[in-house]
Amino acid sequence: MRKIITAIMGAALPFAIAAQEADINAITVRLDSLYNAVLTAPGAETCKVRYTGSDGAKAPGGFLWQRGLGKGWTQGLRISLPDVSQNKAAEFDNFFQEIGRDNFVIRYNDHCSATLIEPLNTIYVYDYDSADSRLSFMKATTTGEICVPKVWTHCDSLDATIHDPLAFASRRDLALLGLSRLWSGVRRNFAFMKRVRLDWDSLYVANMEPVADAAHNGDDERVGELLQLMAARLGDGHTFVYGYDRNKCYTPLSTVILDGRVYADEVLSPALEEQGIKHGMELVSVNGIPVAEYGYTHVMPYISSSTPQWSEHTAFNGYNLLATKKGETMRMTFRDGKTNLDAEYTPDGKFWPSSPRAIEFSLLKDKVGLLRINNFMDADFCQQFDNIYSSILKTRALIIDLRGNEGGNSGNGDYILRHLTSDTIKTGQWTSPAYIPAFASWGMDQPVHQGAGNTLPPFTDRPVFDRPAAILVDGGTFSAAEDFTAAFRGMGRGMIVGTPTAGSTGNGVQIVLIPGVAYANICSKHDVAPDGTEFVGTGIKPDIEIRENYDSYFGTAGSPVIKAALRLLK
């Protein structure tokens, strides 16, 4: 099975910067407007609903949307509207597909979709029953984990709580259990255990007392941080702890690192603008600490990373550098020419970074197309590509920009690759740990499961783009984006330009460490390039190494990376 990596990445939370119109508040306003329109429609019937739990045996048909143990009551209002035509219902489907460009949407079929507004823990769901022309629409929220049964259209209340054998366990005991689950989960599932240079048992023992003390003091966040630090010591970008940092807040100011210096990128707060902060200013210090030292000591240790380039990208590009607890003030010093400028901001939790639409296309000089793939996550990814493919076919060459692409569904990458050749495409082999108890009893080495690489057939029902192509990569090209890059190189399809990729891919085993507090994702799959080349832990090296600089990023000099690709494609 090809992997699907979610956007949840522990402390890193790798989201790309969004345009103003993609702001999560604007999406919420649009959803509420549609919801209120249904609510006030003639004939609308309303019913209060409440659901909790995750026990499938207690939920007829299972769950439409369910997180963790579904703890806490998911409560809201369901609207039922009769006599709705299929054409009218199609407008709802189109609406959810449209907002799916800027917020994660699950489209179950042509008449049922759902979306979650992450920072508000609010879910919107609609369903159309064509048999009796009835439209159902629900808005529900929870202070715990979302729980919506599949029968929500006619079920008002559901308690699907799982019997909890740990109900009477102390916080200390639960925290130590979570530590033990992390230790054992890594031992059993981690694909790169032989690469680990530290003593995993010693690290486990060393964390017992700190974890127990933090739990005894009621500090769940510190417990989660300790577990995250422990996972990060494994040095793998797909092995991390997440879930505890719900109070983590983002400053509406993204940063970028260029030539070893950090700069303000997008300034999305009027309060910061009023203090004189502008796009392109150098960030000198954070909370009185030089910015490089702050990033390396306060941010980077919590990042699960296989390479220095991924650690640097995650710490200094985007919103992670200036994230903090709710209500804590971030003190920043910027340099404007020769003058230092101090600024402060206290995050209130209302700002949440959003990811841009997955695919963007533009035309450069000499009929060269620029296909910017921001991620491989969007539910309508293939449709987005289909919408611009006719324009790509009109170009004489193509640049595919994967810089900062932090992955998603590898199948989406395969979809594009199948348009770029008329030959069969080979993907890399893989291995995964295996355990046979009888081998242990005989003192034998445990086996490793060998997975053969797949082959992808080219599309034969549409024209193939067989003209020159090149790929742009950097330290933020991660996971499924690296799978794409490795396959592209294996195809011999074109040159790769930029800087080494992040060096991490694989499938994660998800484990509940402490219900409602901490969860783990443990990499279980060791992938290699189609020609057998290792790239996990090093990154994929470009054919031509070149990077952006201050003048190209903030000025009008033009990108040296794109210029290098254009020279190759002449």
Side-chain angles (χ1 to χ4, degrees):
M1 179 182 294
R2 303 305 301 279
K3 67 176 177 302
I4 299 178
I5 300 299
T6 68
I8 302 173
M9 296 291 289
L13 284 172
F15 291 96
I17 188 167
Q20 288 288 344
E21 60 267 24
D23 184 87
I24 201 70
N25 294 327
I27 297 172
T28 305
V29 169
R30 293 189 61 196
L31 285 164
D32 283 338
S33 176
L34 178 63
Y35 179 79
N36 290 329
V38 179
L39 181 64
T40 57
E45 305 165 3
T46 62
C47 179
K48 292 183 178 180
V49 295
R50 60 198 305 265
Y51 314 114
T52 190
S54 60
D55 189 344
K58 298 179 181 179
F63 298 92
L64 191 80
W65 196 310
Q66 184 267 328
R67 278 189 163 189
L69 297 178
K71 297 181 69 174
W73 285 95
T74 297
Q75 303 184 81
L77 189 70
R78 183 185 66 230
I79 311 167
S80 182
L81 190 63
D83 302 323
V84 178
S85 68
Q86 291 193 11
N87 288 338
K88 189 66 178 177
E91 294 179 9
F92 284 79
D93 184 57
N94 293 336
F95 179 89
F96 271 78
Q97 287 193 66
E98 182 181 350
I99 64 172
R101 300 169 184 169
D102 302 313
N103 194 63
F104 184 66
V105 169
I106 293 182
R107 187 169 180 256
Y108 300 98
N109 50 53
D110 291 344
H111 59 264
C112 182
S113 294
T115 188
L116 175 67
I117 304 300
E118 186 84 33
L120 304 178
N121 244 4
T122 300
I123 191 169
Y124 297 80
V125 191
Y126 94 92
D127 182 273
Y128 177 66
D129 187 344
S130 58
D132 63 1
S133 302
R134 181 173 292 272
L135 179 81
S136 299
F137 202 120
M138 181 178 70
K139 174 184 178 182
T141 187
T142 179
T143 56
E145 301 166 324
I146 290 289
C147 168
V148 178
K150 287 187 177 179
V151 294
W152 69 273
T153 56
H154 55 278
C155 174
D156 305 338
S157 182
L158 175 72
D159 186 347
T161 304
I162 294 177
H163 170 66
D164 184 7
L166 305 175
F168 300 103
S170 68
R171 297 178 82 150
R172 177 184 180 278
D173 291 341
L174 288 174
L176 289 175
L177 176 62
L179 176 68
S180 299
R181 285 174 170 173
L182 176 60
W183 172 82
S184 61
V186 167
R187 276 283 186 204
R188 184 176 184 84
N189 301 292
F190 188 41
F192 300 99
M193 203 67 210
K194 290 185 178 180
R195 292 187 180 183
V196 177
R197 296 185 178 182
L198 56 84
D199 189 309
W200 186 240
D201 293 348
S202 295
L203 188 61
Y204 167 66
V205 172
N207 273 284
M208 285 181 173
E209 187 173 344
V211 165
D213 289 345
H216 178 74
N217 294 329
D219 192 348
D220 286 344
E221 183 172 351
R222 182 56 183 164
V223 171
E225 286 180 345
L226 289 167
L227 296 179
Q228 185 185 14
L229 283 166
M230 182 173 169
R233 294 286 301 278
L234 294 168
D236 179 71
H238 281 70
T239 302
F240 51 85
V241 171
Y242 64 96
Y244 63 91
D245 52 352
R246 292 178 180 167
N247 294 324
K248 185 175 184 179
C249 297
Y250 294 91
T251 300
L253 167 65
S254 65
T255 59
V256 61
I257 186 167
L258 299 164
D259 295 328
R261 296 190 175 189
V262 181
Y263 300 92
D265 194 359
E266 292 293 328
V267 183
L268 303 178
S269 165
L272 288 170
E273 290 177 344
E274 290 172 2
Q275 296 179 69
I277 309 307
K278 299 177 183 178
H279 176 68
M281 283 185 174
E282 183 180 358
L283 178 59
V284 178
S285 68
V286 179
N287 293 337
I289 303 171
V291 64
E293 180 184 344
Y294 182 86
Y296 276 93
T297 59
H298 288 73
V299 181
M300 205 172 285
Y302 297 92
I303 297 171
S304 290
S305 174
S306 311
T307 62
Q309 60 265 29
W310 175 245
S311 297
E312 180 181 274
H313 170 85
T314 307
F316 294 107
N317 289 329
Y319 295 93
N320 296 314
L321 183 65
L322 301 177
T324 188
K325 296 178 182 178
K326 185 176 182 179
E328 289 192 358
T329 299
M330 296 298 292
R331 296 178 290 108
M332 300 159 280
T333 299
F334 294 85
R335 181 173 293 130
D336 187 11
K338 295 183 179 180
T339 304
N340 282 354
L341 178 66
D342 293 326
E344 291 186 353
Y345 190 86
T346 305
D348 56 9
K350 294 182 180 179
F351 173 77
W352 190 268
S354 298
S355 59
R357 194 177 185 188
I359 296 176
E360 300 169 343
F361 179 75
S362 59
L363 193 63
L364 304 177
K365 64 181 182 179
D366 299 329
K367 295 185 67 176
V368 177
L370 177 63
L371 177 63
R372 169 70 181 156
I373 307 178
N374 295 303
N375 63 70
F376 289 106
M377 300 177 189
D378 284 7
D380 65 341
F381 183 94
C382 296
Q383 182 62 53
Q384 290 184 40
F385 181 77
D386 289 345
N387 291 342
I388 54 94
Y389 188 52
S390 60
S391 298
I392 292 176
L393 288 172
K394 295 176 183 177
T395 65
R396 69 162 189 84
L398 182 65
I399 297 173
I400 302 175
D401 191 351
L402 298 177
R403 292 176 295 173
N405 183 322
E406 296 173 351
N409 186 344
S410 296
N412 288 332
D414 295 344
Y415 185 78
I416 292 181
L417 290 170
R418 294 172 64 198
H419 287 79
L420 303 182
T421 182
S422 56
D423 298 324
T424 298
I425 303 166
K426 182 180 178 182
T427 62
Q429 296 183 342
W430 56 274
T431 59
S432 186
Y435 181 75
I436 299 177
F439 279 25
S441 72
W442 297 326
M444 297 172 58
D445 291 337
Q446 291 296 330
V448 175
H449 178 81
Q450 299 283 343
N454 294 323
T455 55
L456 304 172
F459 282 112
T460 57
D461 60 347
R462 65 200 73 181
V464 168
F465 183 85
D466 57 2
R467 275 142 274 172
I471 282 184
L472 311 183
V473 299
D474 66 3
T477 305
F478 181 82
S479 191
E482 291 185 278
D483 294 338
F484 183 98
T485 303
F488 182 88
R489 172 169 278 171
M491 293 162 60
R493 191 61 184 81
M495 302 287 275
I496 301 173
V497 182
T499 58
T501 62
S504 181
T505 191
N507 282 57
V509 174
Q510 296 186 356
I511 296 176
V512 177
L513 301 180
I514 309 171
V517 176
Y519 307 83
N521 189 85
I522 300 171
C523 184
S524 62
K525 184 166 170 271
H526 177 185
D527 290 278
V528 297
D531 65 357
T533 301
E534 288 277 3
F535 65 90
V536 175
T538 59
I540 299 171
K541 294 182 179 180
D543 299 300
I544 297 178
E545 186 162 343
I546 189 168
R547 64 184 69 239
E548 299 290 344
N549 53 50
Y550 184 90
D551 290 336
S552 70
Y553 194 90
F554 292 106
T556 58
S559 168
V561 184
I562 292 178
K563 288 179 180 178
L566 286 171
R567 287 193 295 270
L568 288 173
L569 297 173
K570 282 188 176 180

